[in-house]
Amino acid sequence: QVQLVESGGGLVQAGGSLRLSCAASGRTFSSNVMGWFRQVPGNEREFVAAIPGRGGSTRYADAVKGRFTISRDNAKNTVYLQMNSLKPEDTAVYYCAADRTNFYITYGAINGNFDYWGQGTQVTVSS
């Protein structure tokens, strides 16, 4: 059974940093696209970042470009989201996602077409 478990969320002041981790189990995702999304209650889930499995470039939402960095450690089957210069509007539940078959980031991936999702971790940025 595939599981994605996020960790690293918490409360931080504006301008601070957090690093989220997403540990996958049940299968290896070293060649597959993985991503991060976030959702505020009452709003649609939105794309944050994605990383390809076999080369190519990472992708970021305009709202986080230059502040967030997605990376992966295939030996640990884990993807990370380093979040710097955090703003109150970054407050949300952050979800990790993994694709079962795609190696490269597709338009569908940016729109949330992933096969597996984590349970989410809360990030709260105070002003």
Side-chain angles (χ1 to χ4, degrees):
Q1 181 181 357
V2 173
Q3 280 192 313
L4 302 178
V5 179
E6 301 99 334
S7 60
L11 174 64
V12 64
Q13 287 190 330
S17 298
L18 284 174
R19 189 177 83 151
L20 304 183
S21 300
C22 172
S25 61
R27 62 159 283 176
T28 299
F29 290 100
S30 58
S31 296
N32 300 87
V33 177
M34 296 188 76
W36 288 95
F37 290 75
R38 65 187 183 187
Q39 188 170 24
V40 175
N43 289 4
E44 295 282 324
R45 181 179 59 199
E46 64 175 5
F47 170 75
V48 175
I51 186 166
R54 292 187 178 182
S57 301
T58 53
R59 296 285 300 273
Y60 296 93
D62 288 343
V64 307
K65 277 181 183 176
R67 300 187 297 122
F68 291 11
T69 303
I70 188 172
S71 62
R72 65 195 303 160
D73 184 337
N74 288 336
K76 296 182 178 179
N77 213 21
T78 297
V79 65
Y80 304 96
L81 186 68
Q82 177 66 44
M83 305 186 295
N84 299 328
S85 302
L86 282 161
K87 305 175 181 179
E89 51 263 43
D90 294 319
T91 296
V93 177
Y94 283 71
Y95 296 92
C96 170
D99 194 289
R100 186 170 53 193
T101 56
N102 285 315
F103 305 142
Y104 304 106
I105 300 170
T106 65
Y107 180 77
I110 295 172
N111 282 277
N113 291 336
F114 281 84
D115 299 291
Y116 306 105
W117 294 86
Q119 82 289 349
T121 185
Q122 176 70 47
V123 171
T124 303
V125 184
S126 63
S127 57

